[in-house]
Every structure is written in structure tokens, then in C-alpha cells.
Amino acid sequence: YCFRGQRYGKGNTTWLQSQLNAKIVSLALFLLINTQTHIIYKLMYNSEINKMIMTSMKSGDKEKSAVYRLLKSEFLKFTTAKNAKPLDDAAEIQIIRKMVKERQESEKIYLANNRQDLADSEKAEYSILETLLPQAPSNDDIDAFIKSSYPDGIEQKQMGAVIKEVKEKWSSADGKVVSDLVRSHITK
């Protein structure tokens, strides 16, 4: 057996140094493997979500902290799902947009059933989530971009490429709005 402070194996390595070297090697392998499989990310909101929760709790804003916890939960579901894609800025925006859309639909249902208290709660939640979304371009901006890029109009078979081009320029643009605007420029 080898005790601490005694020489270990060949050379001048002590037991403690060998354990430290093994930890460093295992940590380096862990980081290398996880970086390649996209487990470690540089994220927009996912890295900041705990700070956002803490500041809202310290300020006493229970609604914000509850919404941020739900958002953290959705991010975690996305990253741990089977065949999960990496959680990048676009995925975060998509998750937040989905949560906003769900709450808007719930608000409409609650208003249809005369539940103003629940509708107000849903409205407060999606208004908090909307503050996290980047500013979407106006319809006029998208329309002007399409007109300047395609002054002769768009053919039906070009529609997908044009939508992709607009989404590359403004990733925060709503897909349905972009699709409708592109469809309005199709020449027959």
C-alpha cells in the first residue's frame, strides 16, 4: 500500500500528486467530451436565469420569479429531451415565443368563460415573457426588405428561399407574419 507523502510508483510522484493529476485529466476529458456534444453552452438567458430568479425574489416580485422558474424548467426540458438539439439563442427565443403563445391562448379561453382573474394572471405572465423577446421588426421593415431584394416580385417556388432570407436577417420575426408578407409579393 502507499500512504500519503510516500513515494508512489516510479519517479518522484507522491500519492496526492498522482490523485491530483488523475482529477485534472478526468476534468479535461469531461470538458472535451461535453464541449463536443454541446452540453456546455454560452447562452443568452439560460446562463442568466438563476440571477434573474434571485433578483426577482429579492425584490419580492413573486410573479416574475414564478415565470422565470417556469422558463428555467422549459429550458431544462429542452436540453434533457431525447435527441435534444443544442440550446442556442434561436432555441431560447423559440421556447419563449411558444410560452407566450400558450398564455395568450389560455387568456382567450379564460375570457370566453368569464374568468377575468385567471385571464389577468395569464396576461401578466406573457407580458413578463415578452420583455425577454428581442424587438421584432415591423411589417413595414420586412415589406421594404422584400421589395428591395425582389423588385420584380417573387415566384411561388422562391417563397421558401425568401422566407429563409428574411428569417436570417431578423431571427425574431414571426414566421406566420413573414410568410403572409412574402405571399403578398408573389407574382403569378
Side-chain angles (χ1 to χ4, degrees), residues 16-31:
L16 187 59
Q17 288 172 334
S18 67
Q19 293 297 315
L20 184 61
N21 288 342
K23 294 282 185 193
I24 290 171
V25 168
S26 66
L27 179 64
L29 287 173
F30 172 78
L31 290 175

Side-chain angles (χ1 to χ4, degrees), residues 93-158:
I93 291 170
Q94 181 182 11
I95 291 170
I96 295 171
R97 212 178 259 136
K98 182 183 95 173
M99 291 176 72
V100 167
K101 206 173 275 187
E102 287 172 355
R103 274 139 189 85
Q104 287 174 339
E105 290 171 4
S106 296
E107 180 192 21
K108 288 178 185 174
I109 292 170
Y110 289 140
L111 287 174
N113 293 318
N114 296 324
R115 293 298 309 263
Q116 187 64 39
D117 55 334
L118 296 175
D120 292 340
S121 170
E122 293 293 323
K123 184 172 182 144
E125 284 184 16
Y126 79 73
S127 64
I128 292 169
L129 288 169
E130 283 178 335
T131 61
L132 301 175
L133 289 172
Q135 187 66 31
S138 68
N139 292 354
D140 296 332
D141 293 338
I142 297 172
D143 200 38
F145 174 74
I146 294 170
K147 284 179 182 176
S148 66
S149 298
Y150 301 93
D152 297 332
I154 302 169
E155 293 181 23
Q156 181 70 33
K157 59 184 174 185
Q158 289 180 311

Side-chain angles (χ1 to χ4, degrees), residues 150 152-162 182-183 185-188:
Y150 301 93
D152 297 332
I154 302 169
E155 293 181 23
Q156 181 70 33
K157 59 184 174 185
Q158 289 180 311
M159 186 174 162
V162 175
V182 170
R183 190 170 280 126
H185 289 281
I186 291 178
T187 57
K188 296 182 180 179

Side-chain angles (χ1 to χ4, degrees), residues 23-121:
K23 294 282 185 193
I24 290 171
V25 168
S26 66
L27 179 64
L29 287 173
F30 172 78
L31 290 175
L32 179 68
I33 291 168
N34 289 339
T35 302
Q36 290 176 349
T37 58
H38 304 291
I39 294 175
I40 297 175
Y41 309 103
K42 182 175 186 326
L43 299 174
M44 183 175 69
Y45 288 122
N46 196 22
S47 60
E48 298 291 321
I49 194 78
N50 288 330
K51 292 177 189 173
M52 294 163 70
I53 292 170
M54 290 300 291
T55 55
S56 64
M57 287 175 66
K58 286 179 182 178
S59 68
D61 195 349
K62 292 182 180 181
E63 281 185 355
K64 269 191 179 178
S65 58
V67 170
Y68 292 152
R69 284 189 186 122
L70 287 170
L71 185 61
K72 183 178 179 179
S73 168
E74 289 295 321
F75 286 162
L76 188 62
K77 283 180 191 175
F78 185 85
T79 56
T80 58
K82 191 174 183 179
N83 300 326
K85 297 177 183 173
L87 183 62
D88 55 355
D89 292 350
E92 288 179 350
I93 291 170
Q94 181 182 11
I95 291 170
I96 295 171
R97 212 178 259 136
K98 182 183 95 173
M99 291 176 72
V100 167
K101 206 173 275 187
E102 287 172 355
R103 274 139 189 85
Q104 287 174 339
E105 290 171 4
S106 296
E107 180 192 21
K108 288 178 185 174
I109 292 170
Y110 289 140
L111 287 174
N113 293 318
N114 296 324
R115 293 298 309 263
Q116 187 64 39
D117 55 334
L118 296 175
D120 292 340
S121 170

